[in-house]
Amino acid sequence: MSGTEYHLKACLRCGFEFKDPPIDEQLLMKCYAQSSFDHWQDQPDPLVRQFDRFARLIESATKSRRILDVGCFNGALLDYLGPEWNRYGIEPSIAAAEIARQRGINVLSPSLESLDKNTEPFDVIMAIDVLEHIVEPVSFFQLIQKHLKENGIFLVSTGNAHAFSWKMQESLYYYTRIPEHVSFYSKAAFDQITCQMGWKCAAYQFIPHKRLPTSRRIKDTIKNTVYTLGCKCRGLGISPLNRKLRSGRGPTYFSAKDHLIYVFQQAG
């Protein structure tokens, strides 16, 4: 994939953004299958990763207990929810899926596409930090609908392409420069999906990717402000600096409120 050029395109109606040409989905799945079980931490801090937010939203939307986590990785979030849930997962990483099983998670398949169509529908489906990896969103949402019970909820968390920090840097924003990130959403895009699928919006929240201390938020803000100004000023007229700024990506900005939780609800 080295040297491949991509362009960021957007739907003028809803603001959904995507990379063109898309990355080969089979290549992505091979990479995910080989990823380490602790690539995103074996024991993530549930407070930093905001597991409590997801749990509260789920509990407020339904009392039913059959849940599927699409991209469950090593099962840390499902483990946090507790054994009172009937917990199922989908995970392409072979090593991570094995850790999830050791935590009591029933990992059903490596992908939503390969999930048995006769599987009993779920009361809750989650996709946390997954949608940005999906090359064909329409097919993905249609599959979710088939596996969701009447009045069931689909909770997602992904980057918000309409966030202020994102708009400041546009295609240079760190989130868009991660190679496997191919699709980018906003509340307007999710509202459009809600309408098309015949669902309703049960809740939404704008959040940072992680809960981080004030000192980290200040540091991130300074770094990204300097980077943005440097890009806007074309590297202060210094050609090598301008090229370096624009050939890379913005500093990681995990403390920015640049993510969106959205809860879809299936019609009854």
Side-chain angles (χ1 to χ4, degrees):
M1 303 299 291
S2 178
T4 302
E5 182 175 296
Y6 298 96
H7 298 278
L8 199 59
K9 296 186 177 181
C11 171
L12 296 178
R13 182 170 56 177
C14 70
F16 170 72
E17 299 182 11
F18 57 96
K19 285 180 179 174
D20 184 48
I23 296 174
D24 182 78
E25 194 166 17
Q26 294 303 314
L27 177 60
L28 282 176
M29 289 299 292
K30 287 181 181 178
C31 292
Y32 299 149
Q34 297 168 13
S35 63
S36 169
F37 74 91
D38 60 353
H39 183 72
W40 288 283
Q41 296 184 307
D42 180 26
Q43 293 286 355
D45 184 323
L47 185 63
V48 171
R49 295 307 304 272
Q50 307 176 94
F51 289 176
D52 56 317
R53 287 186 191 269
F54 304 131
R56 283 197 301 271
L57 282 167
I58 292 168
E59 293 283 0
S60 66
T62 182
K63 299 302 179 186
S64 301
R65 295 289 165 177
R66 181 176 168 83
I67 187 169
L68 173 69
D69 189 359
V70 180
C72 69
F73 200 58
N74 57 29
L77 175 53
L78 288 172
D79 187 49
Y80 175 84
L81 293 179
E84 63 270 23
W85 286 87
N86 296 320
R87 299 169 296 179
Y88 298 85
I90 288 177
E91 178 51 49
S93 169
I94 297 171
E98 181 56 33
I99 298 297
R101 290 187 178 98
Q102 292 174 19
R103 286 175 164 154
I105 312 305
N106 187 351
V107 181
L108 299 174
S109 68
S111 70
L112 191 60
E113 290 79 6
S114 59
L115 180 63
D116 188 339
K117 64 181 180 180
N118 295 317
T119 301
E120 181 185 343
F122 297 90
D123 304 300
V124 180
I125 300 179
M126 300 188 297
I128 310 301
D129 298 325
V130 168
L131 290 184
E132 62 271 19
H133 300 264
I134 303 300
V135 177
E136 296 288 348
V138 173
S139 299
F140 181 83
F141 278 92
Q142 289 173 340
L143 283 172
I144 291 292
Q145 188 171 52
K146 290 178 181 178
H147 290 289
L148 195 60
K149 285 185 179 178
E150 291 184 358
N151 294 312
I153 63 167
F154 177 38
L155 183 148
V156 304
S157 178
T158 188
N160 172 25
H162 285 182
F164 176 76
S165 56
W166 195 315
K167 288 298 184 182
M168 287 294 293
Q169 295 178 14
E170 298 178 326
S171 62
L172 296 175
Y173 200 52
Y174 84 97
Y175 197 81
T176 67
R177 290 286 182 140
I178 297 173
E180 63 268 29
H181 287 186
V182 296
S183 298
F184 310 103
Y185 300 80
S186 64
K187 181 180 180 297
F190 284 149
D191 288 343
Q192 182 71 24
I193 291 168
T194 298
C195 181
Q196 291 178 345
M197 301 300 294
W199 291 342
K200 70 177 183 179
C201 173
Y204 68 91
Q205 294 180 11
F206 298 107
I207 64 167
H209 181 59
K210 296 180 180 180
R211 278 197 188 103
L212 295 169
T214 301
S215 58
R216 173 62 184 272
R217 295 200 299 270
I218 293 172
K219 182 179 179 181
D220 283 354
T221 299
I222 292 172
K223 287 168 60 177
N224 278 274
T225 299
V226 170
Y227 175 81
T228 301
L229 290 174
C231 291
K232 300 289 186 184
C233 297
R234 299 183 178 275
L236 301 176
I238 304 171
S239 295
L241 178 59
N242 185 42
R243 286 196 298 271
K244 184 175 181 179
L245 287 170
R246 293 194 164 274
S247 63
R249 69 185 188 195
T252 300
Y253 207 167
F254 286 153
S255 61
K257 194 174 282 190
D258 65 351
H259 274 58
L260 169 64
I261 300 175
Y262 197 99
V263 183
F264 303 90
Q265 186 164 27
Q266 179 98 292

